[in-house]
Amino acid sequence: MLRQQIGKIMVGGRAVDASAGVERPAIHLYTASTMNGWKPVLLLEALEVPYELTYVKLDQREQKDPWYIKNVNPNGRIPAMIDRSANDFAVFESGAVLWYLAEKYGRFLPNKTPLLRSEAMQWMYFQVGGIGPMMGQAMYFQRIAVKNGVTDDFAIKRFVEESRRLLEVVDSRLEAREYLVGDEYSIVDMCFYPWVRSYYWAKVSVDGLKNLQRWMDGLDQRPDVKRALTIPKPV
């Protein structure tokens, strides 16, 4: 059961033995190696704060554990987290986890003005409500449905084309911009990055999207991003 598991204590991309007298951190993150699952890891690694990480084995349906559904995420998905410093306050949904952590630590949230804060929220909603679902369906119908003997050319065409259209929106946004919102790397970039970089898995072309490719190349070079992409992994 997830309740009985002690996660790995992560500090700067390295796992510290929790049995060696190390105090358990405030943040306990439950996640896995998925596009949504990497989002909070990107932020925690950028923050360089210690956190406890439990790798949720999706193939064993650990995310449907009754304790997890009752106490962490009622929807039985990842990522989700518990903040021990706030009376075990639980946060679920990837965008909400990013926003909560950015507010808690006071970093990587574009909020110098109310308008900039609204802009950040708009683009994050665009990702979680558009790019994530569309690319996720493109992946599902090409990678999973086909393996199970279902080939739906109409659905594949629909979701691949819509995913491409949405990436074109992001490409236009990045014209003459280094980052999606404001002039610094933020949770908005972290929200988009794992999905955008998985374009090949969704079989969505990024040919001609030079601004998007430049943005991806820049984030690829960040040390904290490189660390995050090696986490989480099965124990």
Side-chain angles (χ1 to χ4, degrees):
M1 291 179 60
L2 288 177
R3 182 181 186 179
Q4 298 172 335
Q5 295 181 19
I6 296 178
K8 296 186 293 184
I9 310 299
M10 305 301 299
V11 181
R14 296 181 298 104
V16 178
D17 187 356
S19 65
V22 178
E23 183 179 356
R24 296 179 77 178
I27 302 303
H28 189 162
L29 176 66
Y30 296 83
T31 194
S33 302
T34 70
M35 280 65 74
N36 285 332
W38 274 303
K39 292 178 186 178
V41 182
L42 286 165
L43 177 53
L44 288 164
E45 288 300 316
L47 288 166
E48 297 186 311
V49 297
Y51 60 98
E52 184 171 350
L53 184 146
T54 292
Y55 184 92
V56 180
K57 301 178 182 67
L58 302 180
D59 59 337
Q60 298 179 25
R61 295 180 61 80
E62 286 188 336
Q63 74 276 20
K64 302 302 182 184
D65 181 291
W67 175 85
Y68 182 77
I69 289 175
K70 181 179 179 180
N71 296 280
V72 186
N73 186 347
N75 194 32
R77 302 291 175 88
I78 60 95
M81 54 155 280
I82 287 176
D83 185 351
R84 294 190 178 97
S85 69
N87 197 30
D88 287 347
F89 184 70
V91 186
F92 66 97
E93 290 297 317
S94 61
V97 172
L98 285 175
W99 198 276
Y100 180 89
L101 290 171
E103 284 197 323
K104 177 181 177 68
Y105 291 104
R107 296 179 62 197
F108 299 107
L109 177 62
N111 63 351
K112 292 179 181 178
T113 69
L115 296 182
L116 192 63
R117 184 183 179 92
S118 175
E119 204 173 349
M121 188 177 294
Q122 291 172 56
W123 281 98
M124 288 182 72
Y125 282 11
F126 173 75
Q127 192 284 311
V128 299
I131 286 180
M134 292 301 104
M135 292 188 71
Q137 293 297 328
M139 294 173 187
Y140 177 84
F141 280 101
Q142 295 178 92
R143 301 287 183 175
I144 298 175
V146 170
K147 286 185 178 180
N148 285 276
V150 177
T151 301
D152 190 329
D153 293 333
F154 179 85
I156 291 171
K157 183 175 185 293
R158 154 69 177 160
F159 291 118
V160 169
E161 289 183 353
E162 180 63 2
S163 296
R164 167 69 190 205
R165 186 190 70 80
L166 295 173
L167 292 182
E168 289 173 358
V169 173
V170 182
D171 183 71
S172 296
R173 172 66 177 177
L174 287 165
E175 186 172 357
R177 285 177 173 271
E178 187 174 359
Y179 302 109
L180 283 162
V181 174
D183 55 6
E184 296 178 341
Y185 179 56
S186 76
I187 58 171
V188 184
D189 301 287
M190 300 175 202
C191 194
F192 279 77
Y193 176 74
W195 281 99
V196 174
R197 72 183 292 270
S198 301
Y199 66 90
Y200 61 91
W201 190 247
K203 299 184 180 180
V204 177
S205 171
V206 294
D207 291 349
L209 304 183
K210 295 181 180 179
N211 301 317
L212 188 75
Q213 293 182 43
R214 168 183 49 78
W215 173 81
M216 276 194 292
D217 291 343
L219 298 192
D220 285 343
Q221 300 308 310
R222 290 181 60 94
D224 49 300
V225 169
K226 291 180 179 180
R227 289 197 307 270
L229 294 179
T230 68
I231 310 165
K233 53 188 175 183
V235 294

